[in-house]
Amino acid sequence: MEKALRLGPGNPFNLDATLGCGQAFRWEKVDGTWYGVAGDHAIGIRQDGERLLFSGADEAFVRRYFALDLDLPAILSSVDRDPRIHAAIGRCPGLRILRQDPFETLISYICATNTNIPTIKKRIALIAERYGRRLPGGASAFPDAAALAPCSEGEMRGCVLGYRAPYACATAALCAEDPGWAERVAALPYGEARRELLRFPGVGPKAADCILLFAFEKYEAFPVDVHIRRMMRRHYLPDLPEDKPMTCREYDLIAGFSREHFGAYAGWAQEYLFCVREEERA
């Protein structure tokens, strides 16, 4: 049965922007409704003005997953420090950062290196279908570490992971051997949590920052990809090299500047800038 959740004028939310901005890989929009899997919930959800109409989960889960308990106007006010981010906030009103499952997010961003979003979605869907628990209605939850750890590299390559297969296998094994890893990372300050994630095979600086931002509420994390690098060079750091590959030193320079410039919610600024990335091609 479909349920309704009223947002109210002081609680801005944009479902399309939130699910369409590339932070999660298990959602598709069909005839105005988004269908996806979050944790053990196969959810259908659509927005009608200030109402969310949804099925497959209770209101408490929907509020937490979509971060509807956070004061979005206060967060955006804190990062609204220059004309570029001000314009991005105006273009993507109501965009929120999801609270995703740590292990799924960890494996997802190992799968996300050097590829595009449709391919990432295919990889995650195959892993879930082959190794996840079947949910009511036929969708599959993403497997936990214990379920994925026994998989061989060959089986992972069957999910079109390519060279990432050994990384996914080794990371699943490490997480299965250390079931408290996520709670430990969550309890650490940002810098220490990032170093902890970098020990997982296949996790580099950008993946670590994405995982911290989307699964651990480490909102000072500022992932830097080619789009964000282009924006930072154009609007904030004009001395950055234009055509050379990004080094770890440059990544840290951009991310460090952004944390200082945007403050404790720098990751929210990053997501709003990423939302308007296509404008930078003009």
Side-chain angles (χ1 to χ4, degrees):
M1 179 182 294
E2 193 172 64
K3 307 178 185 72
L5 188 163
R6 185 165 292 280
L7 297 166
N11 193 27
F13 180 56
N14 186 321
L15 181 66
D16 286 348
T18 298
L19 291 180
C21 69
Q23 59 179 305
F25 305 113
R26 301 206 65 198
W27 291 92
E28 298 292 343
K29 189 177 183 182
V30 180
D31 297 330
T33 298
W34 287 91
Y35 296 95
V37 179
D40 289 332
H41 302 278
I43 299 172
I45 187 167
R46 58 191 173 92
Q47 185 166 5
D48 180 13
E50 293 182 1
R51 291 195 310 158
L52 289 178
L53 304 166
F54 60 94
S55 61
D58 60 24
E59 181 175 322
F61 183 88
V62 169
R63 284 189 178 277
R64 173 163 177 75
Y65 181 74
F66 288 102
L68 297 174
D69 56 325
L70 297 184
D71 186 344
L72 183 59
I75 291 171
L76 297 182
S77 177
S78 77
V79 302
D80 191 359
R81 301 184 178 186
D82 62 71
R84 184 60 203 151
I85 188 62
H86 182 79
I89 290 169
R91 289 273 288 109
C92 307
L95 166 64
R96 290 178 183 254
I97 292 179
L98 303 170
R99 291 187 177 110
Q100 300 183 58
D101 174 77
F103 180 69
E104 179 176 348
T105 308
L106 173 59
I107 297 299
S108 295
Y109 279 93
I110 289 174
C111 292
T113 55
N114 300 317
T115 192
N116 54 43
I117 289 177
T119 302
I120 303 165
K121 287 184 173 183
K122 181 177 181 180
R123 291 171 180 156
I124 302 306
L126 285 170
I127 292 171
E129 289 166 9
R130 295 182 182 184
Y131 307 109
R133 185 171 63 84
R134 193 73 64 185
L135 300 174
S140 296
F142 195 82
D144 62 15
L148 201 59
C151 297
S152 68
E153 289 184 20
E155 290 170 323
M156 283 291 94
R157 289 182 189 277
C159 297
V160 295
L161 268 66
Y163 72 85
R164 305 157 195 84
Y167 300 151
C169 289
T171 293
L174 286 171
C175 291
E177 293 166 2
D178 180 15
W181 74 273
E183 289 76 12
R184 186 173 63 256
V185 169
L188 293 171
Y190 163 73
E192 293 178 38
R194 189 170 184 265
R195 285 193 290 273
E196 189 75 7
L197 288 182
L198 288 170
R199 73 185 180 88
F200 288 111
V203 175
K206 175 181 174 285
D209 280 332
C210 287
I211 296 160
L212 291 170
L213 183 59
F214 301 138
F216 287 98
E217 300 176 60
K218 305 294 186 187
Y219 293 138
E220 63 267 58
F222 192 90
V224 182
D225 68 353
V226 293
H227 306 289
I228 294 298
R229 183 195 191 198
R230 184 183 304 121
M231 287 188 193
M232 298 307 292
R233 183 173 61 240
R234 180 174 293 185
H235 301 288
Y236 300 96
L237 296 167
D239 293 333
L240 291 177
E242 187 162 352
D243 299 317
K244 296 179 181 178
M246 182 164 53
T247 63
C248 289
R249 182 178 179 276
E250 183 185 340
Y251 184 103
D252 290 342
L253 186 155
I254 294 171
F257 165 84
S258 300
R259 275 188 286 279
E260 182 175 343
H261 181 69
F262 293 114
Y265 290 96
W268 287 75
Q270 189 272 0
E271 200 64 7
Y272 275 78
L273 291 172
F274 186 80
C275 187
V276 298
R277 63 194 179 280
E278 294 303 325
E279 295 179 6
E280 295 298 305
R281 297 180 181 276

